[in-house]
Amino acid sequence: MEAPETDVVGLETAEEIISRWDSTVSEEGRDHHHQHHRMIFESDDRREIDRYLQAVDEIRRLMESTTISDEDQTKVNTSLEVAMARLEDEFRNILLNHSSPLEIDSLIDLSSSSSSIRSSSRTDSNSSDYFQDDDVSRDFGGHEFAESSGSRSTRSVSYKSMNSIREMDLLPPNMIDNLRSIADRMISAGYVRECVLVYASARKASVDASFKQLGIERLSIGDIQRTEWVVLETKIRRWIRASRVCIRILFSSEKKLCEQIFENLGTNSVDDMCFIETIKGHAIQLFNFADAISISRRSPEKLFKILDLHDVLSDLLPDIEEIFNSKLAETIRVQAVEILSRLGEAVRGILSEFENAVLREPSRIPVPGGTVHPLTRYVMNYISLISDYKGTLVELIVSKPVTGSRYSGDQTTPDLDLSELEGRTPLELHLIWIIVILQFNLDGKSKHYRDASLAHLFMMNNVHYIVHKAKGSPELREMIGDDYLRKLTGKFRQEATSYQRATWVRVLYCLRDEGLHVSGSFSSGVSKTALRERFKNFNAMFEEVHRTQATWSVPDAQLREELRISISEKLIPAYRSFLGRFRGHIESGKHPETYIKYSVEDLETAILDFFEGHAVSPHLRRRSH
């Protein structure tokens, strides 16, 4: 059966137009086909573009015709192959030469404009307030936490932004129209896979460039786990910024472009195929970093960066589910959810590791002067930061701590009766438990002091520091609770009282009347020998206490002043009274200055030397007698 004349004419015309733009012509034939090195869609002649597309449409129509001859069918098939090769080149050329590069620096600001990162990154600063203690630092992963005081209310408590996804135009509208025209014809002709591969190959190069600008490295999980934590902290901060840009801008914009070009073309979801083919590798690369951190070795110094990762991924999850909502993208959605779960599990594990590290911290060398132990500073700064993450941790910490029992007989673990803390969240109970085990460890350390007075002063300093830090943070104070803080306050006051008893009872004992009066004698009733001995003993004892305790330390100025006042209130009236009653007996004898060495004012001045943390002159300053 002969083909209708219109089909033959149509075939000849279409064949001529298509062969004029034949991409498959050999190098030798290019002079005869001068159009080959040019691009149809780069032409300003819209009529030429339309003629070519019409020629392709004609070939497609003839493909389905049942009236053309076998010879013409062969010509149609050949023309179709030539046309598809040309359209593939045109498609690639538009994608490579007309894409609008993303301004990454401005996008980082855009994606973060209403979602600031916690200022808890101050833990990365080189503050001069860092304590330096190799034993403690080593036991807690070599990380140190800066001193902080007061509320950290300047820190944003959330990563959440008002408008999360921000789609950008990656190509000019006229080029998107051209791409859609080409894709429509390739897909209709059965060249779906070729179209998808060309598209994905071109767009991957653009996404690669964006990843490079964002500083997202191609690292394996093994590479990440072998990297020093201090280096990873910097990479985590970079990842947090980059992940927002990737999910909310880069990936969402790539999806939009796929929809603009491919939506409703073909019977399958070609737009989803192109999108996943383009960014799947990049999405996996992005998420592998967080995954590697989530399964890395757990140690206390990692907690806050892992919480940062958890928070940002949790915030991005609704956007991830919206962008990767197709069946083809299910593995990406599942990966994100699983990583979030593993990060939460890592947080719980690290908190448990931290509690064990506090309980077992082994340093035995007493800190000089009974000052605040580095462990105490570390732990209190650590739990102050924990309180910054209250919103997240309340959701993640759902189990109460495993505490010791007074009935267990276990001497290696302190007691804590949780029934006395009803109504507290598991997180609050963990914070209280950390303070309990810190005190337990400190109590063990206090026993390494040979001087009982110094042991009490050490415990007073450390428990006072705990209370001071807790009260200095509104979040931490609320979580620990005023009832428990009152209990801690009672503890450090009890230690202060015990210190005073251990030191000053012996000194004040020298100022008693007992043993000085002589009965049944014609003397004045006072034994001058015993009195001189009493003054000598008092002088010697006070000088020893003064010499020793001037080197002891009470770092809190208010506590130091309160303790000096308390000492003065006991010592000065007793000495003034003793001096008033017995001065005459000494001054009437020889060398009274040998026995009454100090005036009341001298003692008042000497007490000001106490707890300064450095040695003073071996001789007390003497004003007058």
Side-chain angles (χ1 to χ4, degrees):
M1 178 178 171
E2 289 191 3
E5 189 176 340
T6 54
D7 283 356
V8 175
V9 172
L11 174 58
E12 290 175 352
T13 304
E15 191 179 19
E16 190 277 328
I17 293 171
I18 287 170
S19 65
R20 197 191 314 158
W21 295 91
D22 186 357
S23 294
T24 64
V25 173
S26 65
E27 293 288 329
E28 293 79 9
R30 284 189 181 176
D31 290 340
H32 302 290
H33 294 266
H34 63 281
Q35 305 283 17
H36 175 74
H37 68 282
R38 292 173 50 219
M39 289 290 164
I40 304 171
F41 287 85
E42 296 292 346
S43 168
D44 294 331
D45 188 351
R46 187 68 216 182
R47 286 179 301 174
E48 183 67 21
I49 294 171
D50 291 340
R51 270 197 299 271
Y52 191 85
L53 293 175
Q54 287 165 7
V56 175
D57 292 341
E58 180 63 15
I59 294 296
R60 281 283 303 122
R61 186 185 69 78
L62 292 171
M63 280 284 294
E64 298 168 2
S65 172
T66 58
T67 61
I68 62 173
S69 66
D70 290 345
E71 182 183 349
D72 287 341
Q73 185 66 56
T74 301
K75 290 180 180 180
V76 166
N77 290 342
T78 301
S79 292
L80 184 68
E81 289 177 6
V82 170
M84 290 301 109
R86 163 53 68 177
L87 289 179
E88 188 175 310
D89 287 345
E90 296 284 343
F91 200 68
R92 181 185 295 107
N93 180 70
I94 294 172
L95 287 168
L96 292 177
N97 294 326
H98 293 277
S99 295
S100 305
L102 294 174
E103 298 293 334
I104 293 299
D105 290 342
S106 62
L107 292 184
I108 289 175
D109 294 336
L110 185 64
S111 71
S112 306
S113 59
S114 50
S115 55
S116 59
I117 295 180
R118 301 165 189 273
S119 65
S120 63
S121 58
R122 68 183 182 282
T123 60
D124 304 310
S125 65
N126 294 317
S127 168
S128 60
D129 288 327
Y130 274 27
F131 68 79
Q132 301 288 335
D133 185 275
D134 290 341
D135 290 336
V136 173
S137 181
R138 190 184 308 115
D139 200 55
F140 286 83
H143 198 83
E144 295 159 354
F145 289 89
E147 283 289 322
S148 58
S149 61
S151 169
R152 284 158 299 281
S153 59
T154 55
R155 176 189 59 74
S156 171
V157 297
S158 173
Y159 284 100
K160 296 187 178 357
S161 63
M162 300 294 287
N163 303 305
S164 32
I165 293 175
R166 300 168 187 259
E167 296 167 340
M168 312 292 283
D169 293 323
L170 300 178
L171 275 89
N174 63 320
M175 289 299 154
I176 291 174
D177 291 340
N178 288 340
L179 288 168
R180 186 170 176 83
S181 297
I182 296 170
D184 187 14
R185 285 154 179 87
M186 291 184 71
I187 292 167
S188 297
Y191 283 71
V192 176
R193 189 62 188 158
E194 290 82 353
C195 187
V196 169
L197 289 176
V198 170
Y199 178 88
S201 175
R203 289 309 305 166
K204 278 179 183 176
S206 178
V207 178
D208 274 338
S210 295
F211 263 47
K212 189 172 182 180
Q213 282 184 275
L214 286 165
I216 302 174
E217 302 168 85
R218 195 178 295 278
L219 299 170
S220 69
I221 287 179
D223 291 335
I224 294 165
Q225 293 189 332
R226 285 188 293 272
T227 303
E228 291 289 330
W229 180 250
V230 68
V231 176
L232 281 179
E233 285 186 307
T234 301
K235 294 184 186 296
I236 288 171
R237 286 197 299 275
R238 187 185 302 138
W239 186 92
I240 286 171
R241 291 193 298 270
S243 64
R244 289 203 203 88
V245 176
C246 287
I247 300 298
R248 291 178 171 162
I249 299 174
L250 187 59
F251 292 167
S252 64
S253 299
E254 288 293 339
K255 183 174 184 179
K256 176 189 175 186
L257 182 61
C258 287
E259 290 170 348
Q260 288 172 319
I261 297 170
F262 298 104
E263 195 167 34
N264 299 323
L265 298 184
T267 54
N268 296 319
S269 301
V270 182
D271 54 341
D272 285 337
M273 289 171 59
C274 285
F275 175 58
I276 297 305
E277 188 71 30
T278 301
I279 59 83
K280 185 173 184 178
H282 293 94
I284 290 171
Q285 179 185 343
L286 181 71
F287 291 136
N288 272 353
F289 179 84
D291 197 15
I293 299 296
S294 75
I295 60 177
S296 64
R297 186 180 66 83
R298 294 169 181 174
S299 54
E301 81 277 6
K302 296 181 179 180
L303 178 64
F304 304 107
K305 280 290 171 279
I306 289 179
L307 279 166
D308 286 342
L309 283 174
H310 179 280
D311 277 3
V312 77
L313 189 55
S314 177
D315 184 40
L316 288 171
L317 196 58
D319 301 325
I320 293 168
E321 290 173 341
E322 181 176 343
I323 294 166
F324 299 100
N325 61 352
S326 68
K327 180 68 176 174
L328 291 171
E330 184 177 10
T331 55
I332 296 174
R333 291 198 309 274
V334 170
Q335 185 188 18
V337 171
E338 288 178 346
I339 292 170
L340 187 64
S341 175
R342 282 194 286 273
L343 287 169
E345 188 57 41
V347 167
R348 287 185 286 272
I350 289 172
L351 186 62
S352 178
E353 288 288 327
F354 178 70
E355 290 171 351
N356 287 330
V358 173
L359 183 60
R360 310 297 176 201
E361 196 281 318
S363 60
R364 295 188 174 189
I365 300 173
V367 291
T371 190
V372 177
H373 198 281
L375 176 66
T376 308
R377 295 184 186 277
Y378 183 101
V379 170
M380 291 310 299
N381 284 319
Y382 196 92
I383 67 172
S384 292
L385 286 176
I386 284 178
S387 69
D388 280 356
Y389 291 82
K390 175 182 175 182
T392 301
L393 286 169
V394 162
E395 295 177 4
L396 293 179
I397 307 301
V398 294
S399 300
K400 296 178 180 180
V402 179
T403 66
S405 167
R406 68 188 68 171
Y407 307 111
S408 68
D410 183 0
Q411 299 300 308
T412 63
T413 307
D415 301 335
L416 178 62
D417 188 352
L418 295 179
S419 65
E420 297 177 358
L421 297 165
E422 286 295 331
R424 296 303 197 84
T425 66
L427 176 61
E428 290 169 345
L429 293 175
H430 275 275
L431 292 183
I432 291 171
W433 174 238
I434 289 169
I435 291 174
V436 168
I437 56 181
L438 172 61
Q439 285 187 84
F440 183 79
N441 190 316
L442 292 169
D443 192 56
K445 295 183 190 310
S446 73
K447 293 176 171 54
H448 295 294
Y449 288 103
R450 296 179 180 178
D451 189 323
S453 298
L454 186 53
H456 290 303
L457 192 80
F458 168 78
M459 288 303 295
M460 177 201 74
N461 276 328
N462 282 269
V463 179
H464 177 271
Y465 183 86
I466 293 169
V467 173
H468 177 73
K469 289 291 289 185
K471 287 183 175 180
S473 164
E475 298 93 343
L476 187 56
R477 180 172 188 162
E478 180 185 355
M479 295 174 77
I480 293 174
D482 285 341
D483 287 345
Y484 192 73
L485 284 176
R486 276 192 289 272
K487 187 175 180 180
L488 288 174
T489 301
K491 168 71 174 171
F492 86 71
R493 295 200 182 283
Q494 176 190 336
E495 293 291 351
T497 300
S498 297
Y499 149 76
Q500 291 186 63
R501 285 201 187 109
T503 296
W504 296 103
V505 165
R506 294 178 299 113
V507 177
L508 292 171
Y509 193 67
C510 295
L511 304 180
R512 72 192 190 285
D513 286 6
E514 290 83 357
L516 296 180
H517 295 278
V518 181
S519 57
S521 167
F522 293 105
S523 68
S524 62
V526 173
S527 168
K528 289 188 177 180
T529 302
L531 186 58
R532 291 190 188 104
E533 195 63 27
R534 218 34 105 65
F535 271 107
K536 283 173 64 178
N537 287 342
F538 173 82
N539 294 336
M541 280 191 180
F542 186 80
E543 286 166 6
E544 175 61 20
V545 170
H546 176 262
R547 181 187 64 79
T548 303
Q549 298 195 11
T551 65
W552 294 1
S553 178
V554 177
D556 183 86
Q558 183 177 343
L559 180 61
R560 185 169 63 245
E561 184 60 25
E562 287 177 2
L563 197 56
R564 287 170 177 169
I565 290 170
S566 181
I567 292 168
S568 294
E569 287 175 346
K570 292 176 177 61
L571 178 66
I572 299 303
Y575 186 70
R576 180 182 287 116
S577 174
F578 190 81
L579 204 58
R581 294 197 305 277
F582 299 111
R583 176 189 292 235
H585 298 285
I586 298 296
E587 290 181 340
S588 62
K590 295 179 180 179
H591 310 297
E593 69 282 357
T594 303
Y595 308 104
I596 305 178
K597 295 173 67 173
Y598 308 113
S599 68
V600 170
E601 291 76 13
D602 290 333
L603 295 190
E604 288 174 336
T605 302
I607 289 171
L608 298 177
D609 295 329
F610 281 46
F611 318 123
E612 287 291 340
H614 53 77
V616 294
S617 167
H619 301 291
L620 286 178
R621 288 167 289 177
R622 300 171 65 180
R623 288 183 178 179
S624 60
H625 293 291

